[in-house]
Amino acid sequence: QVQLVESGGGLVQAGGSLRLSCAASGSIFSINTMGWYRQAPGKQRESVAVIRTGGITNYADSVKGRFTVSRDSVKNTVYLQMNSLKPEDTAVYYCNLNTYRSFWGQGTQVTVSS
């Protein structure tokens, strides 16, 4: 089993920055991808940023140029640096890890005030 523990969410004003962290522990073998998804009230969960083994990254168009995903393979930790935050970035952010199956964190709230 794999456990994901997220941290770093909170309340920030528009234009501000936050850094999310997600530490994975447990029976971790070959990791395919780690990344971040988000879900705003009344909306479906959407992919925000994903990093693949080898460092290839994919971003949602809405966050390109503002968010950066990175991974520490030794610590099995994935980060999301969020800059120039907008009110529309407000959501619960979920960490995701894909190995032999997909695992999810408990979610961390990010609120951006205007």
Side-chain angles (χ1 to χ4, degrees):
Q1 192 70 334
V2 174
Q3 295 80 41
L4 301 175
V5 178
E6 299 146 341
S7 60
L11 172 65
V12 65
Q13 288 188 331
S17 297
L18 284 174
R19 189 190 193 211
L20 305 183
S21 299
C22 173
S25 62
S27 302
I28 301 171
F29 300 103
S30 177
I31 296 176
N32 296 321
T33 64
M34 292 187 76
W36 296 90
Y37 290 69
R38 68 186 181 187
Q39 188 167 18
K43 295 187 177 181
Q44 290 188 329
R45 189 174 297 189
E46 63 175 356
S47 175
V48 176
V50 174
I51 185 165
R52 305 179 184 280
T53 301
I56 298 173
T57 56
N58 293 97
Y59 295 93
D61 288 342
S62 59
V63 307
K64 284 180 180 177
R66 300 188 297 121
F67 291 10
T68 303
V69 62
S70 60
R71 174 183 162 188
D72 185 327
S73 298
V74 174
K75 297 181 179 179
N76 285 324
T77 299
V78 64
Y79 305 94
L80 185 66
Q81 178 66 44
M82 304 185 292
N83 299 327
S84 302
L85 282 160
K86 304 175 180 180
E88 51 263 44
D89 294 318
T90 295
V92 177
Y93 284 69
Y94 296 91
C95 176
N96 173 262
L97 181 153
N98 280 307
T99 174
Y100 60 91
R101 50 156 283 193
S102 187
F103 293 92
W104 294 90
Q106 79 283 1
T108 185
Q109 177 70 45
V110 171
T111 303
V112 184
S113 63
S114 57

